[in-house]
CSV table of all heavy atoms in Angstrom, one decimal:
chain,number,residue,atom,x,y,z
A,23,ALA,N,93.2,82.6,80.9
A,23,ALA,CA,92.8,84.0,80.7
A,23,ALA,C,93.8,84.7,80.0
A,23,ALA,O,93.5,85.6,79.0
A,23,ALA,CB,92.5,84.6,82.1
A,24,ASN,N,95.2,84.4,80.1
A,24,ASN,CA,96.2,85.0,79.4
A,24,ASN,C,96.2,84.7,78.0
A,24,ASN,O,96.5,85.5,77.0
A,24,ASN,CB,97.5,84.8,80.1
A,24,ASN,CG,97.9,85.7,81.2
A,24,ASN,OD1,98.7,86.6,80.9
A,24,ASN,ND2,97.4,85.5,82.3
A,25,ALA,N,96.0,83.4,77.7
A,25,ALA,CA,95.9,82.9,76.3
A,25,ALA,C,94.7,83.5,75.5
A,25,ALA,O,94.9,83.9,74.3
A,25,ALA,CB,95.8,81.4,76.3
A,26,ILE,N,93.6,83.7,76.2
A,26,ILE,CA,92.4,84.3,75.5
A,26,ILE,C,92.5,85.8,75.4
A,26,ILE,O,92.1,86.3,74.3
A,26,ILE,CB,91.2,83.8,76.3
A,26,ILE,CG1,91.0,82.3,76.2
A,26,ILE,CG2,89.9,84.5,75.8
A,26,ILE,CD1,90.1,81.7,77.2
A,27,LEU,N,93.0,86.5,76.4
A,27,LEU,CA,93.1,87.9,76.4
A,27,LEU,C,94.6,88.3,76.5
A,27,LEU,O,95.0,88.7,77.7
A,27,LEU,CB,92.2,88.5,77.5
A,27,LEU,CG,90.7,88.3,77.4
A,27,LEU,CD1,90.1,88.9,78.7
A,27,LEU,CD2,90.2,88.9,76.2
A,28,PRO,N,95.3,88.3,75.4
A,28,PRO,CA,96.7,88.6,75.6
A,28,PRO,C,97.0,90.0,75.9
A,28,PRO,O,98.0,90.4,76.5
A,28,PRO,CB,97.3,88.2,74.2
A,28,PRO,CG,96.2,88.2,73.2
A,28,PRO,CD,95.0,87.8,74.1
A,29,GLU,N,96.0,90.9,75.6
A,29,GLU,CA,96.1,92.3,76.0
A,29,GLU,C,95.3,92.5,77.3
A,29,GLU,O,94.1,92.6,77.2
A,29,GLU,CB,95.6,93.3,74.9
A,29,GLU,CG,96.5,93.3,73.6
A,29,GLU,CD,97.8,93.9,73.9
A,29,GLU,OE1,97.9,94.9,74.7
A,29,GLU,OE2,98.8,93.5,73.2
A,30,GLY,N,95.9,92.5,78.4
A,30,GLY,CA,95.2,92.5,79.6
A,30,GLY,C,96.1,92.6,80.9
A,30,GLY,O,97.3,92.7,80.8
A,31,LYS,N,95.4,92.4,82.0
A,31,LYS,CA,96.1,92.6,83.3
A,31,LYS,C,95.6,91.5,84.2
A,31,LYS,O,94.4,91.3,84.3
A,31,LYS,CB,95.9,93.9,83.8
A,31,LYS,CG,96.9,94.3,84.9
A,31,LYS,CD,96.7,95.8,85.2
A,31,LYS,CE,97.7,96.3,86.3
A,31,LYS,NZ,99.1,96.2,85.9
A,32,ASP,N,96.4,90.8,85.0
A,32,ASP,CA,96.1,89.8,85.9
A,32,ASP,C,96.0,90.3,87.4
A,32,ASP,O,96.7,91.1,87.8
A,32,ASP,CB,97.2,88.7,86.0
A,32,ASP,CG,97.2,87.8,84.7
A,32,ASP,OD1,96.1,87.4,84.3
A,32,ASP,OD2,98.2,87.5,84.2
A,33,TYR,N,95.0,89.7,88.1
A,33,TYR,CA,94.9,90.0,89.5
A,33,TYR,C,94.5,88.8,90.3
A,33,TYR,O,93.7,88.0,89.8
A,33,TYR,CB,93.7,91.1,89.8
A,33,TYR,CG,93.9,92.4,89.1
A,33,TYR,CD1,93.5,92.6,87.8
A,33,TYR,CD2,94.6,93.5,89.8
A,33,TYR,CE1,93.7,93.8,87.2
A,33,TYR,CE2,94.8,94.6,89.2
A,33,TYR,CZ,94.3,94.9,87.9
A,33,TYR,OH,94.5,96.1,87.3
A,34,THR,N,95.2,88.5,91.3
A,34,THR,CA,94.8,87.4,92.2
A,34,THR,C,94.6,87.9,93.6
A,34,THR,O,95.4,88.6,94.2
A,34,THR,CB,95.9,86.3,92.3
A,34,THR,OG1,96.1,85.8,90.9
A,34,THR,CG2,95.5,85.1,93.1
A,35,PHE,N,93.4,87.5,94.2
A,35,PHE,CA,93.1,87.9,95.6
A,35,PHE,C,92.9,86.6,96.3
A,35,PHE,O,92.2,85.7,95.8
A,35,PHE,CB,91.8,88.7,95.6
A,35,PHE,CG,91.9,90.1,95.1
A,35,PHE,CD1,91.7,90.3,93.7
A,35,PHE,CD2,92.3,91.2,95.9
A,35,PHE,CE1,91.8,91.5,93.1
A,35,PHE,CE2,92.3,92.5,95.2
A,35,PHE,CZ,92.1,92.6,93.9
A,36,TRP,N,93.4,86.5,97.6
A,36,TRP,CA,93.2,85.3,98.4
A,36,TRP,C,92.4,85.7,99.6
A,36,TRP,O,92.5,86.8,100.2
A,36,TRP,CB,94.6,84.8,98.9
A,36,TRP,CG,95.4,84.3,97.8
A,36,TRP,CD1,95.5,83.1,97.1
A,36,TRP,CD2,96.6,85.1,97.1
A,36,TRP,NE1,96.4,83.0,96.2
A,36,TRP,CE2,97.1,84.3,96.2
A,36,TRP,CE3,97.0,86.3,97.3
A,36,TRP,CZ2,98.1,84.7,95.3
A,36,TRP,CZ3,98.1,86.8,96.5
A,36,TRP,CH2,98.6,85.9,95.6
A,37,GLY,N,91.4,84.8,99.9
A,37,GLY,CA,90.6,85.0,101.1
A,37,GLY,C,89.2,85.3,100.7
A,37,GLY,O,88.8,85.3,99.6
A,38,LYS,N,88.3,85.5,101.8
A,38,LYS,CA,88.7,85.5,103.2
A,38,LYS,C,88.9,84.1,103.6
A,38,LYS,O,88.2,83.2,103.3
A,38,LYS,CB,87.6,86.1,104.0
A,38,LYS,CG,87.9,86.1,105.5
A,38,LYS,CD,86.7,86.7,106.3
A,38,LYS,CE,87.2,86.7,107.8
A,38,LYS,NZ,86.0,87.3,108.6
A,39,GLY,N,90.1,83.9,104.3
A,39,GLY,CA,90.4,82.5,104.8
A,39,GLY,C,91.5,82.5,105.7
A,39,GLY,O,92.3,83.5,105.9
A,40,VAL,N,91.7,81.4,106.3
A,40,VAL,CA,92.8,81.2,107.3
A,40,VAL,C,94.1,80.9,106.5
A,40,VAL,O,94.2,79.9,105.7
A,40,VAL,CB,92.6,79.9,108.2
A,40,VAL,CG1,93.7,79.7,109.1
A,40,VAL,CG2,91.3,80.2,109.1
A,41,SER,N,95.2,81.7,106.8
A,41,SER,CA,96.5,81.4,106.2
A,41,SER,C,97.2,80.6,107.3
A,41,SER,O,97.6,81.0,108.4
A,41,SER,CB,97.2,82.7,106.0
A,41,SER,OG,98.7,82.4,105.7
A,42,GLN,N,97.5,79.3,107.0
A,42,GLN,CA,98.1,78.4,108.0
A,42,GLN,C,99.6,78.9,108.3
A,42,GLN,O,100.0,78.8,109.4
A,42,GLN,CB,98.0,77.0,107.5
A,42,GLN,CG,96.6,76.4,107.4
A,42,GLN,CD,96.5,75.0,106.9
A,42,GLN,OE1,96.6,74.1,107.8
A,42,GLN,NE2,96.2,74.9,105.7
A,43,GLY,N,100.3,79.3,107.3
A,43,GLY,CA,101.6,79.7,107.5
A,43,GLY,C,101.7,81.0,108.4
A,43,GLY,O,102.5,81.1,109.2
A,44,HIS,N,100.8,82.0,108.1
A,44,HIS,CA,100.9,83.2,108.9
A,44,HIS,C,100.3,82.9,110.3
A,44,HIS,O,100.8,83.5,111.2
A,44,HIS,CB,99.9,84.2,108.2
A,44,HIS,CG,100.6,84.9,107.0
A,44,HIS,ND1,100.9,84.2,105.9
A,44,HIS,CD2,101.1,86.1,106.8
A,44,HIS,CE1,101.5,85.0,105.0
A,44,HIS,NE2,101.6,86.2,105.6
A,45,SER,N,99.4,82.0,110.5
A,45,SER,CA,98.9,81.6,111.8
A,45,SER,C,100.0,81.0,112.6
A,45,SER,O,100.2,81.3,113.8
A,45,SER,CB,97.7,80.6,111.7
A,45,SER,OG,96.6,81.2,111.1
A,46,ASP,N,100.8,80.2,111.9
A,46,ASP,CA,102.0,79.6,112.6
A,46,ASP,C,103.0,80.7,113.0
A,46,ASP,O,103.6,80.6,114.1
A,46,ASP,CB,102.7,78.5,111.7
A,46,ASP,CG,103.8,77.8,112.4
A,46,ASP,OD1,103.6,77.2,113.3
A,46,ASP,OD2,104.9,78.0,111.9
A,47,ALA,N,103.2,81.6,112.1
A,47,ALA,CA,104.1,82.7,112.5
A,47,ALA,C,103.7,83.5,113.7
A,47,ALA,O,104.5,83.9,114.5
A,47,ALA,CB,104.3,83.7,111.2
A,48,VAL,N,102.4,83.8,113.8
A,48,VAL,CA,101.9,84.4,115.0
A,48,VAL,C,102.0,83.6,116.3
A,48,VAL,O,102.4,84.1,117.3
A,48,VAL,CB,100.4,84.9,114.8
A,48,VAL,CG1,99.8,85.5,116.1
A,48,VAL,CG2,100.2,85.8,113.6
A,49,ARG,N,101.8,82.3,116.1
A,49,ARG,CA,101.9,81.4,117.3
A,49,ARG,C,103.4,81.3,117.8
A,49,ARG,O,103.6,81.0,118.9
A,49,ARG,CB,101.4,80.0,116.9
A,49,ARG,CG,99.9,79.9,116.9
A,49,ARG,CD,99.4,78.5,116.8
A,49,ARG,NE,99.7,77.8,115.5
A,49,ARG,CZ,99.0,77.8,114.5
A,49,ARG,NH1,97.8,78.4,114.5
A,49,ARG,NH2,99.3,77.2,113.3
């Protein structure tokens, strides 16, 4: 996407899903 649209802005969203690291932190 960056190569094709050099003038732009990136966004990454995660989920909905289980975060194993965060679940471990809660435990």
